[in-house]
Amino acid sequence: MITGIKGVRIRRAAAVVVTTGALVAGGALTTPAQAAAAPTVSAKGAFMLDSTTGSTLYSKYADTKRPMASTTKIMTARVVLAIPDVNLDTKVTIKQAYRDYVAAKGASSADLKTGDKVTVRQLLHAMMLPSGSDAAMALADKFGTGTTVAARTKNFIAKMNKKAEALGLTNTHFDSFDGNSTQNTNYTTPRDLARLTRSAMTFSTFAGIVKKPSTVQYAPTSTGGTRKYTWYNTNQLLGSYSGAIGVKTGTNTPSGPCLVFAATRNGKTVVGVLLNDTNRYTDAAKLMDYAFGSTTASTMQLRTLPAGAQRD
């Protein structure tokens, strides 16, 4: 039982209430080929699937609804990338409203500067690596419909829910574009989130972004100059666990530490979810070892983030 969160910086966020759902028994439901004992994880909810077949590899309270913090941004990216003929090189001018939102919520930030012209592709990097809520808001504002920022972002959130419905994610609902819940109704389940991620990873742009430990991007400023942005991926499994290819961290007060992870070894790809897990990286490694028949978790050394890099 998780009794507290140590060593994790918790961002201030709008309160999210855990929404109860149907419980399933903890532990593994499907044993991988190596028939090893299923690991025990600290997560309140966990799920892992084989990305090729969709078959369940591990399940713990997989259908219980829980808040998921910034892992919400997986859906934000999924909606953008599914827009027909979306031009990822379209430039978006950063508004002060995006910076104000981050400050008001105490949210993670890509530190996008007002007036800079950043491409949609760069915004996806800014959202998925340093978990920039400013970038998430910029994407929602760009691709939502309405006459104001508030109306456009609300419309975009409606598109997120429509996509969840289309994907059959019946235990998922969004009330925000970044996981900072506004109405206590931003939730998912480990199973739904894994299925969403499996879908998102079929987009080469998404898969290419989330596997990067860091990126350097350049954008024109409002005064005609050029700004250099350096963003580090908050997912410390990258560069730490052999074969790790993503995907997204998330942490806020109601959600606890969350992690969506993926890895490929010997042609086998797995996708997993840990919700409210104080040992998320170790537990992810244990689950992947279980799937791959390896013992990497016992010797894994986590990649350290530079001073000043976002933590999520």
Side-chain angles (χ1 to χ4, degrees):
M1 178 177 179
I2 298 175
T3 57
I5 300 175
K6 298 181 179 180
V8 178
R9 183 177 67 83
I10 305 301
R11 299 197 312 274
R12 291 183 293 108
V16 180
V17 177
V18 173
T19 307
T20 59
L23 299 180
V24 296
L29 296 184
T30 304
T31 305
Q34 75 276 11
T40 300
V41 298
S42 302
K44 296 289 190 182
F47 189 77
M48 183 172 61
L49 56 76
D50 183 310
S51 188
T52 300
T53 64
S55 60
T56 300
L57 300 177
Y58 186 92
S59 180
K60 176 182 179 181
Y61 299 113
D63 299 305
T64 299
K65 299 172 186 175
R66 298 186 183 280
M68 70 284 207
S70 285
T71 64
T72 296
K73 293 165 184 168
I74 295 171
M75 180 58 94
T76 304
R78 176 68 175 77
V79 169
V80 170
L81 291 170
I83 295 171
D85 300 319
V86 63
N87 183 355
L88 299 181
D89 296 318
T90 298
K91 286 186 170 61
V92 176
T93 301
I94 302 304
K95 299 175 182 177
Q96 182 62 35
Y98 310 156
R99 295 181 60 85
D100 292 345
Y101 173 83
V102 166
K105 295 291 186 180
S108 53
S109 170
D111 197 23
L112 297 172
K113 302 299 186 183
T114 303
D116 284 6
K117 293 178 174 56
V118 183
T119 67
V120 172
R121 192 187 313 274
Q122 288 175 324
L123 286 173
L124 289 168
H125 281 81
M127 179 174 69
M128 299 307 293
L129 271 68
S131 198
S133 288
D134 44 357
M137 186 176 186
L139 289 168
D141 186 27
K142 169 65 177 177
F143 293 106
T145 301
T147 57
T148 64
V149 172
R152 288 188 293 271
T153 54
K154 181 178 180 180
N155 173 262
F156 185 87
I157 294 166
K159 292 180 180 181
M160 294 169 69
N161 285 311
K162 185 176 181 180
K163 181 60 67 176
E165 182 179 357
L167 292 173
L169 308 180
T170 56
N171 291 315
T172 297
H173 185 268
F174 300 99
D175 66 23
S176 73
F177 45 75
D178 66 339
N180 285 302
S181 182
T182 57
Q183 303 165 26
N184 302 330
T185 55
N186 201 87
Y187 58 80
T188 191
T189 66
R191 188 190 308 272
D192 273 8
L193 189 50
R195 291 173 61 198
L196 166 61
T197 303
R198 182 190 182 204
S199 173
M201 291 291 278
T202 64
F203 290 82
S204 59
T205 297
F206 182 90
I209 289 172
V210 298
K211 70 180 181 181
K212 296 179 181 180
S214 64
T215 188
V216 175
Q217 302 285 334
Y218 298 89
T221 68
S222 59
T223 58
T226 300
R227 194 179 315 279
K228 177 182 178 181
Y229 286 103
T230 302
W231 295 313
Y232 295 94
N233 200 318
T234 57
N235 180 7
Q236 291 176 262
L237 279 182
L238 296 172
S240 304
Y241 188 91
S242 176
I245 55 173
V247 170
K248 187 72 188 75
T249 60
T251 305
N252 60 24
T253 300
S255 303
C258 301
L259 179 66
V260 179
F261 59 90
T264 299
R265 286 187 182 178
N266 300 319
K268 179 178 184 177
T269 299
V270 300
V271 172
V273 173
L274 295 163
L275 297 182
N276 201 342
D277 189 344
T278 54
N279 300 307
R280 56 184 172 172
Y281 293 118
T282 300
D283 284 345
K286 286 162 59 177
L287 288 176
M288 290 186 290
D289 278 352
Y290 176 58
F292 297 133
S294 58
T295 58
T296 304
S298 60
T299 57
M300 183 179 70
Q301 297 293 316
L302 279 181
R303 173 177 62 94
T304 57
L305 294 172
Q310 287 290 311
R311 268 74 173 169
D312 183 22

